[in-house]
Amino acid sequence: MQIRYELVNLLKEFDVIGGDNIQLRLHENISPFGEEAILAENKYGIRVQRVTTRSRGALRDEDVLLGVAFSSGLERVVIPFFHYGMPVEYELIRSITTVAAAERKTIGIVATDALISGGRVQLNDGRATAVPRAKIVAELEKQFNVVDVVPNEAFELWTDETKTKRRFDVLMLVQPSKMNPLGLSFVLDAIKTGQPTVIFEDPAAFGSANYQWPLEMVQDQENLNYFPLLQGTSQNRVTGQVSADLRPLWNFLGIQTVAQERNKREIPAIVWQKNSYYPQSLFLNKHLEYVVVRKATASGTNLEVTLDPQHQVTGSLNELAFPYPGAIAPLPNQRWDFIPLVRTAKAGFLWFEDFESSRLMEAEIRRMRTGEQGPQYLAAEISGGATDGSGEGARVIYVADVEVLGDYFVDLRNRPAKSSVDYRFENVSFVLNIFDYLSGEDRYTNIRNKRPQQFTLRLVEDEREREWVQVNEKMNAARKNVENTLAQVRQEFEEATQPLVRNIEDLQKRRTQGENVAAQLEQLIGTYQQRQQEENQRLQQELTVQNNRLQDEERLIRREAENAIQKIQRGYKVMAVLLPPIPPLILGLIVFTRRRLREREGVSKARLRS
């Protein structure tokens, strides 16, 4: 295993560099079920894991023990298992410096319905379900002291009366809209003192932060199942109290969320953006609300900045993914510094209320999206004022998404999925960079974001990309046909019921004038409602038929593209076999001919063979 080779070599190298300061105990060739393996599990939590390996071209499952425990005095950091995608050098350096430090910095996770630290919640049907702790919290615990904060009352922010050291180096607030108002007021009081805080607030939070991305790189599936936990209720599921109003928080920070007013209610916007980075991903081409932001490259004289290249949080990142994010903007009278960290390219909106009413039907979602509105801010730093508690101040990073914390991104980093799409989302580094920045830590940023250089056959990649671009064009045409068919069905219903609607409107006018037409009006309305119900059933049946047809076309188009790509690859493989021998054969022929000619020089014609 390559990861084991790299791990052992780095451990031995650190042992040599550290001298007497580092003592290395390397246990190799341990039986997965021996006494040493049992001791490692009981003492350090290092367990045997089953992994799939390739040996001599054949795949097989093996029980592997590959963990490391670091200790210094009473401090201990354990990495239970090194998956093949984990950054080994970063994990080792962070662990060594963490246990060697005199004291860890502290992160306070504020309790909200996001249940980022795990817990149990009661659903609407009365069933209780357990929500596991988010994997990103386990990542934070490798470096920080992580504690839960339940803001039932005002909580102490300082370790002593002199206010020289904060109790929490960073506060983590996930989905504050699902807190109770009193708890949010206590957290806001803390933020006003300049308490470093990171806020994750999402207009469309699907489940908790443990939400998994069911993309094709996970199980090669295109269907998406949603498990709403945070939405759909005005009651806080943890406390049972009414959820908080975020306007006081936004007003203090000097920001606003992009929203639309309907019936005296603000409907938040979900941002969508065209997928121009992964043309081979059918999922991202359909679900444009999965926004991918990539570091911009110069195009002519224009440079579109999507990730702030100068900021510690985003300067070394190349690519982030935001599933169904919201958008924020500074208020005109902003009192603090507003520093955009992440913004989209040209993007549009899907209003959350429309999204809920779409029943997740692709055709309905496509119809409800607005046009492109320009770049949108997805994350920003808001800072300024006092930070020592002497007056009001702000030191906040606000991210308009919760699923950016999802377990999927941790799994993607640790175990890059083997699929037709090579996703390179750096969400884990993004989140860890935020906490490092707010806590005043800058030692790990550069090493955390080191990426292995992978070189591919450029010609083959270009051919693959052209094929997938053609696939997207065909799929867009097929979806457009479905939309046109559904629009035609609706138009036929409106034309067929137009005389009935006119009669109803006429009877309503006559009733307002005092005529006794109530019985006729009620009969016509009943007829219209019955026909509308029949039409809805017909539309639903037609939608099912069209979706099935679209899925069949998708499978056919994708199969044709895969066959075309395989044909291209086979062609290059054949050339790789046939072309390399040609130059040495030609060179050999030239050398052979030249030698034969030189052998004939100076020899009389009589001695030459005929």
Side-chain angles (χ1 to χ4, degrees):
M1 296 172 62
Q2 178 65 30
I3 185 77
R4 178 186 177 279
Y5 177 79
E6 182 181 0
L7 175 61
V8 171
N9 282 347
L10 282 173
L11 286 173
K12 291 179 178 178
E13 182 178 346
F14 290 165
D15 183 36
V16 173
I17 295 174
D20 295 336
N21 295 322
I22 295 179
Q23 295 181 359
L24 173 64
R25 295 179 182 176
L26 196 61
H27 302 271
E28 296 186 275
N29 302 320
I30 296 177
S31 170
F33 308 103
E35 292 184 1
E36 289 182 304
I38 296 174
L39 178 63
E41 180 175 354
N42 294 335
K43 189 175 182 179
Y44 300 106
I46 298 176
R47 297 178 176 85
V48 174
Q49 297 203 25
R50 175 153 292 224
V51 297
T52 302
T53 61
R54 182 184 295 273
S55 178
R56 297 180 180 180
L59 295 176
R60 62 178 181 178
D61 292 334
E62 292 187 35
D63 292 316
V64 177
L65 196 66
L66 194 63
V68 180
F70 306 83
S71 62
S72 177
L74 298 178
E75 283 291 330
R76 175 183 293 178
V77 173
V78 177
I79 303 176
F81 193 81
F82 274 87
H83 298 282
Y84 63 88
M86 292 176 66
V88 178
E89 185 179 10
Y90 159 68
E91 293 287 349
L92 296 181
I93 291 178
R94 179 180 65 173
S95 300
I96 292 173
T97 54
T98 299
V99 298
E103 184 181 9
R104 293 196 195 191
K105 296 183 178 181
T106 300
I107 293 176
I109 299 180
V110 179
T112 70
D113 258 13
L115 297 177
I116 192 77
S117 296
R120 294 187 66 83
V121 66
Q122 188 169 358
L123 303 179
N124 290 333
D125 58 5
R127 292 183 298 108
T129 183
V131 178
R133 184 180 62 167
K135 293 181 179 180
I136 193 66
V137 176
E139 289 293 319
L140 293 172
E141 287 177 336
K142 295 177 182 178
Q143 179 180 343
F144 299 96
N145 178 33
V146 179
V147 298
D148 292 328
V149 179
V150 182
N152 293 332
E153 57 184 8
F155 50 92
E156 185 60 49
L157 297 176
W158 306 93
T159 58
D160 53 42
E161 295 181 357
T162 60
K163 296 185 178 181
T164 57
K165 179 175 174 55
R166 287 190 178 274
R167 181 183 171 196
F168 307 108
D169 293 280
V170 184
L171 275 183
M172 183 180 189
L173 186 58
V174 181
Q175 205 69 8
S177 60
K178 291 302 178 182
M179 295 180 64
N180 64 74
L182 184 61
L184 182 59
S185 68
F186 293 141
V187 175
L188 180 56
D189 290 340
I191 293 175
K192 288 180 178 179
T193 67
Q195 168 68 52
T197 306
V198 55
I199 300 174
F200 298 89
E201 172 62 28
D202 197 325
F206 300 113
S208 69
N210 305 293
Y211 169 74
Q212 300 284 337
W213 262 32
L215 294 177
E216 65 266 8
M217 72 286 250
V218 179
Q219 294 179 348
D220 249 350
Q221 61 184 20
E222 298 294 337
N223 296 324
L224 190 61
N225 297 316
Y226 297 95
F227 303 95
L229 177 65
L230 295 175
Q231 62 192 45
T233 178
S234 61
Q235 297 292 319
N236 185 285
R237 298 185 194 275
V238 175
T239 64
Q241 301 180 19
V242 176
S243 296
D245 181 3
L246 291 186
R247 281 175 291 186
L249 173 63
W250 292 335
N251 291 336
F252 174 73
L253 296 177
I255 62 174
Q256 59 185 344
T257 59
V258 178
Q260 181 186 70
E261 187 173 344
R262 293 183 186 177
N263 300 323
K264 298 182 179 180
R265 295 184 302 115
E266 285 193 348
I267 309 301
I270 301 172
V271 177
W272 68 267
Q273 177 184 267
K274 290 181 179 177
N275 170 37
S276 57
Y277 302 125
Y278 291 99
Q280 69 274 38
S281 173
L282 298 182
F283 183 92
L284 292 182
N285 291 328
K286 290 193 298 184
H287 300 273
L288 303 183
E289 289 73 24
Y290 278 76
V291 177
V292 177
V293 178
R294 182 176 290 181
K295 181 179 289 185
T297 56
S299 177
T301 59
N302 297 323
L303 183 64
E304 186 174 32
V305 179
T306 54
L307 298 173
D308 188 343
Q310 305 300 326
H311 203 281
Q312 178 182 332
V313 172
T314 55
S316 57
L317 301 178
N318 283 333
E319 185 172 295
L320 299 173
F322 292 80
Y324 286 76
I328 59 174
L331 290 172
N333 57 346
Q334 170 65 269
R335 60 190 290 200
W336 315 116
D337 294 329
F338 182 89
I339 305 173
L341 299 180
V342 182
R343 76 173 189 176
T344 66
K346 291 182 179 180
F349 303 127
L350 172 65
W351 306 112
F352 182 66
E353 190 174 77
D354 295 336
F355 174 74
E356 283 190 310
S357 65
S358 69
R359 301 185 303 278
L360 303 180
M361 296 295 182
E362 182 188 353
E364 290 295 310
I365 291 177
R366 286 169 60 90
R367 185 173 62 86
M368 293 175 176
R369 290 177 182 139
T370 68
E372 293 179 334
Q373 307 291 318
Q376 303 298 325
Y377 298 126
L378 305 184
E381 178 188 357
I382 301 102
S383 59
T387 58
D388 58 359
S390 60
E392 281 197 344
R395 191 152 188 257
V396 173
I397 288 183
Y398 193 104
V399 181
D401 190 36
V402 168
E403 283 83 28
V404 72
L405 301 170
D407 286 355
Y408 164 73
F409 296 109
V410 179
D411 293 336
L412 178 65
R413 186 203 66 167
N414 293 344
R415 297 184 294 271
K418 300 297 184 180
S419 72
S420 59
V421 186
D422 180 20
Y423 296 98
R424 300 187 180 184
F425 306 139
E426 298 171 302
N427 289 37
V428 175
S429 295
F430 172 65
V431 175
L432 296 179
N433 285 354
I434 290 176
F435 284 96
D436 276 359
Y437 173 72
L438 291 177
S439 64
E441 179 64 73
D442 60 1
R443 292 177 295 177
Y444 306 123
T445 304
N446 291 330
I447 190 172
R448 175 186 294 134
N449 300 314
K450 287 176 64 176
R451 287 169 294 272
Q453 294 291 330
Q454 297 180 349
F455 299 96
T456 58
L457 297 177
R458 189 69 260 171
L459 290 177
V460 176
E461 292 298 322
D462 291 342
E463 292 288 349
R464 286 173 59 88
E465 187 170 345
R466 277 192 288 269
E467 285 294 333
W468 284 114
V469 168
Q470 294 178 8
V471 168
N472 292 334
E473 292 175 353
K474 293 177 181 178
M475 290 307 308
N476 289 334
R479 296 188 188 109
K480 193 65 177 178
N481 291 335
V482 172
E483 293 178 8
N484 293 337
T485 301
L486 296 178
Q488 184 178 356
V489 172
R490 293 191 185 96
Q491 184 177 359
E492 290 175 357
F493 171 72
E494 292 176 358
E495 292 176 354
T497 57
Q498 193 172 13
L500 187 58
V501 173
R502 283 199 297 265
N503 290 338
I504 292 175
E505 293 174 349
D506 182 58
L507 287 176
Q508 288 174 337
K509 290 179 181 179
R510 290 168 60 184
R511 186 178 62 177
T512 57
Q513 295 173 359
E515 295 187 32
N516 186 14
V517 293
Q520 294 175 269
L521 180 59
E522 183 178 354
Q523 182 180 2
L524 285 179
I525 292 177
T527 303
Y528 177 77
Q529 290 177 344
Q530 182 180 357
R531 294 190 61 178
Q532 190 177 38
Q533 183 178 2
E534 294 173 353
E535 184 60 29
N536 286 337
Q537 293 177 354
R538 178 191 169 200
L539 181 63
Q540 193 65 35
Q541 292 174 356
E542 183 65 28
L543 184 61
T544 302
V545 171
Q546 293 296 331
N547 282 335
N548 291 337
R549 184 178 301 171
L550 182 60
Q551 291 177 4
D552 292 339
E553 290 187 22
E554 284 185 4
R555 283 192 289 269
L556 179 61
I557 293 172
R558 189 169 187 173
R559 190 183 304 117
E560 291 176 351
E562 292 288 354
N563 291 336
I565 291 171
Q566 290 178 7
K567 183 177 180 181
I568 294 170
Q569 292 174 336
R570 284 195 296 270
Y572 281 106
K573 288 179 181 178
V574 171
M575 286 190 290
V577 173
L578 297 181
L579 294 182
I582 294 178
L585 288 175
I586 295 176
L587 180 62
L589 181 61
I590 293 174
V591 171
F592 174 77
T593 304
R594 185 179 178 185
R595 284 185 176 180
R596 291 291 293 173
L597 292 175
R598 293 186 64 180
E599 289 175 357
R600 298 166 66 95
E601 292 178 0
V603 180
S604 63
K605 295 182 179 180
R607 297 181 57 188
L608 292 175
R609 297 179 180 177
S610 57

